[in-house]
């Protein structure tokens, strides 16, 4: 395996799990914009200096790898395209891309390897609780609603335990400028000249976080059919208002809150809520399915706490009594996902999410922003702006 990106998630989750499974993987090459971080991870995992790279093209040209894991920041479409050109399979963390056009290009470029070429890193689809919930719901034909809520504290608060290593000095200005220019071009393609808050909602909350919940809806064969109402807003406490007075730029970097409701393809309704809470004590994500004979409820812990179980509670009627069953498994979803990627490359196993699924999730995220922008008259362009124009006065 070649690894692109050695940041927090790589250090806290993926590298330790890869090292734990020598029966499946060898970390053959690593790549990061910071040579300092690459050297530190190289020493930690015994990667030769000649196999530590600062650029993806250099790592690909050096060869000696069977597949690439993308763990870098921002849109991953250009990296996937470069890896496809070398006819290598890809494990791609979210976000796959910021625009559907990027994914359309990838679909056209996807190589015929004799097995699927890409697995998207929606680890919650590999969570034993989600798999069991999907099994229980497979025979349910009257899902009334699916409600998902994410309470998201700071990334630092979730990752302090991992002692993540970062560069001791900023990256070179040229590197930062190139990354910013690429981000700004994709921002224009996605939302046009929309303001910073809307872009942060789309980039930081939707395609990078709530996409997980959209993948769960797909796991339940209940993807969104329409987005009927969406709201995006900022709300500050007295404490954060004092902080804003001292540092408005810092406050503006936080994604706003998001809510969306609409219809499910299988009938019923969905409700999604996402809140960034800087002072919240712990990450919490809940998904509740209501159907004619009971409920199926999932409660997820912080994803970075490996082997912390997701709780699955099912409620049904047993005679004249309520029957509740709690299921908890310490099987790690990230590790099961790695097993699935190995089986995809070696045995041709279909991934739970590939390019088509990733495109559908990006489009749903855009529909949420378009619903908000169309309702409120918020200026927006790019692909989201086209959705607004196509659905004036109607569902999106």
């Amino acid at each position: 395996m070649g690894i692109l990106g050695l940041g927090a998630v790589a250090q806290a989750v993926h590298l330790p799990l890869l090292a734990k499974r020598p029966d499946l993987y060898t970390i053959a090459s690593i790549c990061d914009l910071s040579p300092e971080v690459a050297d530190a991870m190289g020493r930690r995992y015994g990667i030769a200096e000649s196999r530590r790279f600062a650029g993806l093209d250099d790592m690909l040209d050096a060869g000696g790898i069977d597949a690439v894991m993308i763990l870098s920041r921002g849109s991953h479409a250009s990296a996937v395209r470069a890896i496809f050109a070398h006819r290598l399979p890809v494990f791609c963390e979210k976000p796959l891309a910021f625009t559907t056009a990027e994914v359309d290009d990838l679909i056209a470029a996807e190589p015929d390897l004799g097995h699927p070429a890409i697995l998207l890193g929606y680890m919650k689809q590999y969570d034993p609780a989600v798999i069991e919930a999907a099994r229980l719901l497979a025979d349910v034909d009257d899902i009334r609603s699916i409600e998902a809520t994410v309470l998201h504290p700071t990334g630092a608060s979730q990752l302090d335990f991992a002692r993540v290593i970062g560069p001791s000095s900023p990256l070179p200005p040229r590197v930062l400028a190139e990354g910013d220019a690429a981000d700004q071009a994709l921002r224009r393609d996605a939302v046009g000249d929309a303001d910073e808050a809307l872009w942060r909602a789309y980039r930081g909350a939707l395609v990078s976080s709530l996409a997980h919940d959209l993948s769960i809806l797909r796991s339940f064969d209940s993807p969104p059919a329409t987005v009927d109402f969406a709201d995006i807003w900022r709300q500050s406490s007295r404490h954060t208002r004092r902080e804003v007075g001292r540092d408005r730029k810092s406050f503006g970097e936080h994604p706003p809150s998001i809510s969306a409701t609409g219809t499910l393809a299988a009938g019923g309704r969905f409700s999604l809520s996402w809140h960034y809470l800087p002072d919240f004590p712990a990450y919490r994500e809940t998904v509740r399915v209501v159907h004619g004979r009971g409920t199926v409820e999932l409660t997820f812990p912080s994803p970075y706490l490996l082997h912390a179980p997701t709780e699955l509670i099912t409620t049904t009627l047993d005679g004249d009594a309520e029957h509740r069953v709690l299921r908890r498994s310490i099987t790690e979803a990230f590790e099961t996902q790695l097993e699935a990627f190995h089986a995809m490359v070696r045995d041709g196993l279909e991934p739970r999410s590939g390019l088509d699924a990733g495109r559908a999730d990006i489009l749903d995220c855009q529909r949420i922003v378009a619903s908000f922008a169309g309702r409120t008259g918020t200026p927006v362009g790019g692909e989201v702006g086209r959705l607004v124009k196509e659905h004036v006065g109607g569902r999106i």
Side-chain angles (χ1 to χ4, degrees), residues 83-144:
I83 297 163
F84 278 178
H86 281 73
R87 298 187 57 76
L88 292 173
V90 184
F91 176 110
C92 182
E93 266 290 2
K94 59 175 178 54
L96 169 64
F98 293 146
T99 66
T100 57
E102 292 173 274
V103 186
D104 290 338
D105 288 344
L106 294 179
I107 291 172
E110 187 171 8
D112 182 4
L113 302 177
H115 57 74
I118 186 168
L119 181 148
L120 300 187
Y122 290 124
M123 85 291 185
K124 288 183 170 69
Q125 289 191 301
Y126 294 92
D127 190 308
V130 173
I131 293 170
E132 176 63 11
R135 187 190 69 80
L136 293 170
L137 293 168
D139 296 327
V140 173
D141 60 4
D142 63 342
I143 289 178
R144 309 296 175 84

Side-chain angles (χ1 to χ4, degrees), residues 7 14-15 28 57 83 122 132 139 170 177-178 219 255 311 321 347 361 363 372 385:
H14 291 294
L15 291 173
D57 289 340
I83 297 163
Y122 290 124
E132 176 63 11
D139 296 327
E178 289 175 355
S219 291
E311 290 192 348
D347 305 319
D361 293 339
L363 181 57
F372 165 76

Side-chain angles (χ1 to χ4, degrees), residues 67-84:
V68 178
M69 175 177 278
I70 301 178
L71 309 176
S72 52
R73 62 176 290 279
S75 169
H76 296 142
S78 62
V80 173
R81 191 162 51 248
I83 297 163
F84 278 178

Side-chain angles (χ1 to χ4, degrees), residues 234-245 251 278-279:
R234 288 194 181 281
Q235 184 170 336
S236 61
S237 66
R238 283 176 295 180
H239 167 72
T240 53
R241 282 197 292 271
R242 288 195 298 270
E243 293 301 316
V244 171
F251 179 75
D279 298 320

Side-chain angles (χ1 to χ4, degrees), residues 327-361:
R327 185 181 190 276
R328 303 171 83 236
S329 170
I330 62 170
T331 298
E332 174 50 52
F334 276 112
E335 186 171 353
T336 304
Q337 184 178 234
L338 285 176
E339 293 171 352
F341 183 66
H342 186 273
M344 184 193 87
V345 174
R346 294 302 190 199
D347 305 319
L349 180 72
E350 286 291 330
R352 294 184 181 271
S353 288
L355 292 177
D356 288 339
R359 188 188 192 283
D361 293 339

Side-chain angles (χ1 to χ4, degrees), residues 45-271:
Y45 290 98
I47 312 300
E49 291 187 25
S50 61
R51 307 298 300 181
R52 307 171 192 171
F53 301 94
L56 173 61
D57 289 340
D58 291 336
M59 183 171 75
L60 294 173
D61 290 342
I65 51 179
D66 300 311
V68 178
M69 175 177 278
I70 301 178
L71 309 176
S72 52
R73 62 176 290 279
S75 169
H76 296 142
S78 62
V80 173
R81 191 162 51 248
I83 297 163
F84 278 178
H86 281 73
R87 298 187 57 76
L88 292 173
V90 184
F91 176 110
C92 182
E93 266 290 2
K94 59 175 178 54
L96 169 64
F98 293 146
T99 66
T100 57
E102 292 173 274
V103 186
D104 290 338
D105 288 344
L106 294 179
I107 291 172
E110 187 171 8
D112 182 4
L113 302 177
H115 57 74
I118 186 168
L119 181 148
L120 300 187
Y122 290 124
M123 85 291 185
K124 288 183 170 69
Q125 289 191 301
Y126 294 92
D127 190 308
V130 173
I131 293 170
E132 176 63 11
R135 187 190 69 80
L136 293 170
L137 293 168
D139 296 327
V140 173
D141 60 4
D142 63 342
I143 289 178
R144 309 296 175 84
S145 70
I146 302 179
E147 306 151 14
T149 300
V150 178
L151 306 180
H152 200 299
T154 65
S157 68
Q158 296 183 71
L159 287 161
D160 279 348
F161 74 92
R163 301 189 182 277
V164 172
I165 296 172
S168 58
S169 58
L171 294 171
R174 176 188 59 79
V175 173
L176 294 174
E178 289 175 355
D180 185 61
D183 282 353
Q184 290 303 315
L186 289 173
R187 173 178 175 173
R188 290 189 295 271
D189 291 344
V191 299
D193 294 324
D195 65 24
E196 185 71 14
L198 201 65
W199 171 238
R200 290 192 181 280
Y202 178 70
R203 172 185 174 164
L206 286 165
V207 298
S208 297
S209 181
L210 264 177
H212 275 303
D213 299 278
L214 293 170
S215 78
I216 293 172
L217 266 61
R218 287 191 288 99
S219 291
F220 298 162
D221 289 328
S222 296
T226 65
V227 177
D228 298 342
F229 181 90
D231 206 0
I232 299 172
W233 73 99
R234 288 194 181 281
Q235 184 170 336
S236 61
S237 66
R238 283 176 295 180
H239 167 72
T240 53
R241 282 197 292 271
R242 288 195 298 270
E243 293 301 316
V244 171
R246 290 196 292 268
D247 188 356
R248 291 182 179 273
K249 181 179 179 182
S250 176
F251 179 75
E253 291 176 355
H254 299 331
S257 291
I258 299 172
S259 67
T261 59
T263 61
L264 296 168
R269 301 293 184 267
F270 73 86
S271 172

